[in-house]
Amino acid sequence: MQASTGPGPRQEPELSGWALGGVAFAGFMLILIGAFQATIGFAAIFEDDFFVVGRAYAYDIDVTAWGWAHLALGVLLLLIGLALLAGQGWAALVAIVLALLSAIANFLFIPYYPFWAIVVIAVDIWVIWALTRWREVVGAGPEGARSTRSDRSAATPP
């Protein structure tokens, strides 16, 4: 008797509640971080003296330039957060890239606003983690983010 090599029932990985909630969390946090980044951008553009940095900073960039960078990044994060909450699959990959850019930008921004930059980096890391679970949640079928492993296996004929 020959072993069956044909397609059999597919074993779906168990979805973590943290991953399911993390996708929604990621969308809302991208919107919030985007709004905050834009606010910081406006502050840097219109009030150069708000941020102060020591003389020995290796990445000494004009505060107004940082403002424009934060404003642009903030608007993009906000829009991608909305697209992610709307269930757009492409938004997950773009959101991961933007969260990575946000973490790098805030790492370089640490001397200007240390506490804020470190908090944003931490949230960016959690957003990236949550979005790496996106395929498990949305790519599972037409049920989208509301489906669970048990829901999918009950709907699949034996």
Side-chain angles (χ1 to χ4, degrees):
M1 187 161 135
Q2 197 172 27
S4 172
T5 58
R10 185 174 165 202
Q11 290 290 344
E12 297 289 334
E14 188 68 34
L15 295 177
S16 164
W18 284 93
L20 288 170
V23 172
F25 171 82
F28 285 112
M29 289 310 295
L30 286 171
I31 293 169
L32 186 64
I33 290 172
F36 286 160
Q37 293 278 55
T39 302
I40 293 249
F42 281 126
I45 291 168
F46 296 121
E47 189 63 44
D48 283 349
D49 298 333
F50 184 75
F51 299 103
V52 179
V53 67
R55 285 181 271 150
Y57 182 50
Y59 303 106
D60 189 20
I61 298 174
D62 181 53
V63 175
T64 304
W66 273 120
W68 284 108
H70 279 275
L71 179 61
L73 187 59
V75 169
L76 290 173
L77 286 166
L78 190 133
L79 293 174
I80 291 302
L82 290 172
L84 188 62
L85 289 177
Q88 302 297 318
W90 58 267
L93 180 61
V94 175
I96 290 170
V97 171
L98 287 178
L100 179 65
L101 289 175
S102 174
I104 292 169
N106 280 286
F107 174 77
L108 297 174
F109 199 67
I110 287 175
Y112 295 96
Y113 212 157
F115 180 75
W116 169 254
I118 291 169
V119 168
V120 172
I121 290 169
V123 174
D124 284 333
I125 290 169
W126 194 12
V127 165
I128 291 168
W129 175 86
L131 292 177
T132 58
R133 305 298 180 241
W134 183 256
R135 290 276 182 226
E136 292 178 15
V137 177
V138 173
E143 296 88 12
R146 291 187 178 91
S147 68
T148 64
R149 181 175 174 245
S150 60
D151 292 340
R152 287 191 307 269
S153 61
T156 307

